[in-house]
Amino acid sequence: IADILERFPPQFGMITLDEKAEPLMESEHQPYVLVAVQECGRMNLLLGEIAISLDELQKGRAGQLNMTQKMEDLSSALSINQVPGRNPFHKASWEKFAWPSMKALATWYPDAILRCEALEKWTEKITLPFSLWIPGLFNPTSFLTAIKQVTARLKKLPLDNMSTETHITKMMSKDEAVAYPEDGAFVHGLYIEGARWQDPDEAAAFEEDIAGTMCAGILTDSRPRELLCEMPVMYIKAVVIQSTWVPESVGYIRPESHLYNCPVYSTTFRGPTFIFVATLKTKAAASKWISAGVALAFQTDG
């Protein structure tokens, strides 16, 4: 408990944040501003719950409060390095205020601190980073909607007629992104399971310019003992839906033979943590990657 409280990040000042955000509400980047403010609000709820529950547990152990079932459950989870709330029968839960995760408490908490730092950096001036760590968001779908909103307003297109496509850039690190791309945003921090993206040397044969951004590479077989490979910086671009695209409950499925409609999940558990469909270039038939169960994940389990 002492270790958690020692590294505990401060809560975001929502009043100051709203004041900073107000002048930007008329700008073209207004949807991104809203995402940043909402994310800070969600983080405050989580930080508040962690602080209150740990304070109550300390008082309960010191005899200042009666020990409740909630405190017992929290103490039990902390003693076995489990995120409180992972056990569905426990009354104490941090997880219901957090993001889907399979990490143990020892790696989950530093991850939470990193998310706070990323939000802090973003909200200094509330300007979108050149490359956003999308796995660090509580609600990544809202960011994808913001990309579509910004493009739809700029080009005066109906939002209902917009979707997103993904391109893999030549940038291996977020620091290489020094400008915003056209009609979209750069994101980083994703992992691929069941396959890998080509190395820069291999990818050179498949270079192309997408709206001024150099993209390269195709899907290829993963190497032995490499379960999750980190992806290069990705370019999520808002596009107009075409008549040949098939509408499904998960989004629009692209019929092109050179594309694999790759599901993106929050965790390697997959299932209920589905977020969106990414479009990855492939030379092999898409059926090969479907059989291999290739998917993108926002985080590793460790």
Side-chain angles (χ1 to χ4, degrees), residues 124-147:
E124 266 175 31
K125 293 178 183 166
I126 323 194
T127 49
L128 181 71
F130 290 130
S131 179
L132 181 75
W133 182 41
I134 197 170
L137 302 180
F138 283 84
N139 184 9
T141 316
S142 66
F143 181 70
L144 297 172
T145 307
I147 290 174

Side-chain angles (χ1 to χ4, degrees), residues 23 52 59 63 65 76 83 101 124 157 169-170 190 197 282:
I52 290 166
K59 284 178 177 171
L65 288 175
S76 159
V83 179
S101 177
E124 266 175 31
L157 295 165
T169 70
K170 292 176 73 177
L190 285 88
W197 197 253
T282 171

Side-chain angles (χ1 to χ4, degrees), residues 233-246:
V233 173
M234 291 171 69
Y235 170 20
I236 300 182
K237 186 177 192 290
V239 288
V240 175
I241 294 161
Q242 304 299 316
S243 56
T244 53
W245 300 1
V246 185

Side-chain angles (χ1 to χ4, degrees), residues 187-246:
V187 298
H188 64 274
L190 285 88
Y191 296 87
I192 189 165
E193 186 178 24
R196 69 180 172 89
W197 197 253
Q198 287 183 322
D199 294 335
D201 301 341
E202 302 169 287
F206 299 96
E207 269 187 27
E208 62 176 328
D209 187 327
I210 306 286
T213 300
M214 288 309 292
C215 300
I218 56 168
L219 271 177
T220 187
D221 293 317
S222 52
R223 297 188 180 97
R225 298 182 190 175
E226 277 189 8
L227 292 178
L228 287 167
C229 309
E230 197 164 353
M231 290 291 283
V233 173
M234 291 171 69
Y235 170 20
I236 300 182
K237 186 177 192 290
V239 288
V240 175
I241 294 161
Q242 304 299 316
S243 56
T244 53
W245 300 1
V246 185

Side-chain angles (χ1 to χ4, degrees), residues 14 37-47 96-99 119 138-139:
M14 294 308 289
V37 173
Q38 285 168 356
E39 287 292 319
C40 291
R42 291 279 298 268
M43 186 57 85
N44 275 358
L45 283 175
L46 173 63
L47 295 176
K96 73 176 180 188
F97 294 98
W99 47 89
L119 278 177
F138 283 84
N139 184 9

Side-chain angles (χ1 to χ4, degrees), residues 77-140:
L78 295 177
S79 66
I80 57 169
N81 190 25
Q82 187 183 67
V83 179
R86 187 74 51 88
N87 183 331
F89 300 107
H90 278 184
K91 287 188 175 175
S93 180
W94 297 353
E95 200 152 67
K96 73 176 180 188
F97 294 98
W99 47 89
S101 177
M102 291 173 71
K103 292 179 186 286
L105 184 62
T107 47
W108 181 90
Y109 190 63
D111 183 51
I113 294 170
L114 282 177
R115 287 164 186 260
C116 284
E117 287 169 358
L119 278 177
E120 222 165 89
K121 211 170 176 186
W122 186 2
T123 52
E124 266 175 31
K125 293 178 183 166
I126 323 194
T127 49
L128 181 71
F130 290 130
S131 179
L132 181 75
W133 182 41
I134 197 170
L137 302 180
F138 283 84
N139 184 9

